[in-house]
Amino acid sequence: MIGVGGKIKQYSSVLDKPLSKGRQEVSLSAFAFLFSELVQYNQTQVDNIAELERRLEDAGYAVGARVLELFCHREKGNRRETRLLGILSFVHTTVWKVLFGKVADSLEKGTEHEDEYMISEKELLVNRFISIPKDMGTFNCGAFVAGIVRGVLDNAGFPAVVTAHFVPMEGQQRPRTTILIKFADEVLRREAKLV
Amino acid sequence: MAPVVPRSGDAVFANVERVNAELFTLTYGAIVRQLLTDLEEVEEVNKQLDQILIISMKQVGFKMFLGVTATVTNWDVEGTTCSLVFEDNPLVEFVELPDTCQGLYYCNILSGVVRGALEMVSMKTEVSWVRDMLHGDDAYELRVKLIKQVPEEYPYKDDE
């Protein structure tokens, strides 16, 4: 897009364009407004919270699928992670860093189940200006980010169920957001064979 | 003589918190895709996109929010119509219009933004697209037409 000397080169197809470096930025408020519109629009399309979360997740999934393709090209030199821990740290480090400007606060393995992993963030970017009305219960806009994570994992060949939850923190006013990843059985079976 | 465009947007943009433009681009793409699936008609989508930010965006400068610079040109003799021309546009990174969506003004959200922003300063305007790079033009051009200046009104009556 950015030509030299103010001249823009015309490309016949979007695929002919050089890949952007991803350094361009927009203001946080522009994103916050846009995200609030996404939530508001989807609110008009649904009649319960579960449905709303599902729609936000679907929107995120579409983002995740594209993020994976783009980052594998740009950040990883056309290599894609094939191991469970590799892809998890790709999400936790690379994806988070490019999208949100920082590495996620923590990546943990679930203590009760072998197939569960958690990515936690003290103040998730999308939840930053969001307060949930009392009557909306456990609704979490992080569903959008959960969708991104699911999009990345699914398209990398690691199907999983991904959900976003608020977890109250001691001594903190606002709860942190935990993205819970539960991998499909086949993923764990394959992983066991690979060792 | 065309009014001089203030450069203050640069300074403001340098000081605000920012997010990665790709997150913004892809999220916007997700919205457009949802609208296309839900509404099916390209015309309806154009309408929705135009509506979408008009309420939330109160004051917006292109530079301030999107990090792009628009130039103001083509003033007509009465000084009521002008064009906003810009070449960089973070919204369209990775975007190509499929054959089925040729009538879609992908960036129609911006026309809503401009209209909404001017409405906040009591100017009723009509905004339309003249050029669109996604339709093969060499730049983006928004035509802004002033319809009338709305006198300031108090939102409430004194005796209420």
Side-chain angles (χ1 to χ4, degrees):
Chain A
M1 276 299 295
I2 302 162
V4 183
K7 282 269 184 239
I8 294 263
K9 210 172 154 197
Q10 288 283 311
Y11 297 99
S12 55
S13 143
V14 71
L15 295 176
D16 295 332
K17 279 200 310 197
L19 209 53
S20 83
K21 294 241 168 45
R23 303 269 159 73
Q24 219 188 347
E25 288 178 315
V26 298
S27 80
L28 177 62
S29 30
F31 177 77
F33 280 134
L34 189 73
F35 186 72
S36 92
E37 285 297 337
L38 175 73
V39 178
Q40 282 175 43
Y41 167 71
N42 279 305
Q43 257 178 320
T44 64
Q45 302 289 309
V46 298
D47 39 43
N48 62 57
I49 305 294
E51 183 77 357
L52 179 59
E53 277 190 337
R54 195 191 57 73
R55 283 189 63 108
L56 278 183
E57 204 192 309
D58 283 351
Y61 183 90
V63 174
R66 286 159 179 80
V67 159
L68 174 74
E69 195 183 335
L70 174 66
F71 293 181
C72 280
H73 274 297
R74 196 172 59 199
E75 320 280 333
K76 307 282 283 180
N78 274 338
R79 295 168 74 92
R80 173 169 67 74
E81 297 292 343
T82 51
R83 298 300 298 267
L84 190 83
L85 286 178
I87 194 80
L88 277 172
S89 84
F90 172 74
V91 172
H92 165 265
T93 315
T94 314
V95 172
W96 235 259
K97 191 146 183 109
V98 181
L99 288 186
F100 305 124
K102 65 188 274 297
V103 177
D105 288 340
S106 75
L107 169 65
E108 297 157 78
K109 192 173 185 348
T111 42
E112 284 159 38
H113 302 278
E114 275 294 295
D115 55 352
E116 287 185 353
Y117 290 84
M118 291 168 294
I119 294 176
S120 301
E121 183 77 30
K122 234 194 281 166
E123 186 72 83
L124 198 64
L125 186 80
V126 297
N127 273 337
R128 183 116 161 233
F129 301 110
I130 305 256
S131 47
I132 307 291
K134 284 244 161 38
D135 59 331
M136 287 180 74
T138 58
F139 171 70
N140 189 331
C141 282
F144 180 70
V145 179
I148 296 182
V149 174
R150 187 168 69 93
V152 171
L153 292 176
D154 202 21
N155 285 280
F158 294 85
V161 178
V162 186
T163 44
H165 307 274
F166 280 124
V167 179
M169 297 263 286
E170 224 161 286
Q172 297 263 336
Q173 266 197 338
R174 284 170 68 85
R176 69 174 182 180
T177 301
T178 295
I179 311 278
L180 182 68
I181 304 163
K182 193 176 172 62
F183 285 103
D185 291 343
E186 67 203 69
V187 175
L188 292 171
R189 276 205 302 275
R190 184 183 63 205
E191 191 65 20
K193 269 190 212 161
L194 282 172
V195 179
Chain B
M1 174 73 195
V4 182
V5 192
R7 305 291 302 168
S8 57
D10 283 317
V12 178
F13 188 72
N15 285 324
V16 294
E17 278 192 77
R18 277 156 291 170
V19 293
N20 183 294
E22 276 161 3
L23 176 66
F24 184 77
T25 312
L26 291 169
T27 307
Y28 181 62
I31 296 182
V32 177
R33 264 195 308 279
Q34 272 196 336
L35 286 171
L36 280 169
T37 330
D38 292 343
L39 303 169
E40 287 168 7
E41 286 291 323
V42 169
E43 266 311 301
E44 282 299 305
V45 177
N46 281 343
K47 237 184 270 169
Q48 274 283 340
L49 286 177
D50 183 64
Q51 284 292 322
I52 213 165
L53 274 197
I54 200 161
I55 305 150
S56 1
M57 282 277 191
K58 297 225 162 111
Q59 313 125 350
V60 61
F62 270 36
K63 182 69 194 173
M64 226 164 97
F65 273 89
L66 301 176
V68 300
T69 316
T71 38
V72 184
T73 51
N74 294 349
W75 287 85
D76 68 350
V77 266
E78 295 107 53
T80 55
T81 336
C82 70
S83 287
L84 287 171
V85 182
F86 50 101
E87 290 172 342
D88 273 346
N89 184 347
L91 288 177
V92 299
E93 189 78 47
F94 318 123
V95 176
E96 200 167 47
L97 292 180
D99 290 344
T100 46
C101 300
Q102 284 301 328
L104 179 70
Y105 289 113
Y106 190 84
C107 307
N108 223 15
I109 195 167
L110 291 179
S111 84
V113 169
V114 172
R115 201 151 55 83
L118 290 174
E119 219 157 274
M120 292 311 292
V121 289
S122 317
M123 292 159 92
K124 202 145 188 64
T125 49
E126 233 175 46
V127 182
S128 56
W129 287 97
V130 184
R131 286 186 286 167
D132 185 337
M133 280 167 91
L134 286 179
H135 293 142
D137 299 320
D138 52 351
Y140 295 93
E141 179 172 348
L142 268 175
R143 194 91 189 131
V144 183
K145 183 168 188 251
L146 179 70
I147 301 172
K148 62 170 181 184
Q149 287 229 281
V150 186
E152 257 183 71
E153 280 169 23
Y154 289 107
Y156 52 86
K157 285 189 188 130
D158 269 351
D159 53 349
E160 267 173 12

